[in-house]
Amino acid sequence: LPLATCLAGFLPASLLLIVAYLFMLGSGLLLVEVYLYFDDHISFGTMAKRTLGPIGETLCWFLFLFLFYSLLIA
């Protein structure tokens, strides 16, 4: 990622990486909060179903499949 943003300059590239890090940190902390809310050991699909309903579970599975497909292509 630093090589892709080097044309923008050091400060904008650093700012972009810090914003991306903060976004990942926030989403990770929210995921931990939802995981600790439930007593039993559950998966992403179960967490999505219990908190967002069946539409959220379907969206979660679609996003997982999209992520794995993207990793397969890369």
Side-chain angles (χ1 to χ4, degrees), residues 21-35 44:
Y21 169 76
L22 290 175
F23 180 75
M24 290 185 290
L25 179 69
S27 61
L29 289 175
L30 288 173
L31 182 63
V32 168
E33 184 176 347
V34 171
Y35 182 74
F44 283 113

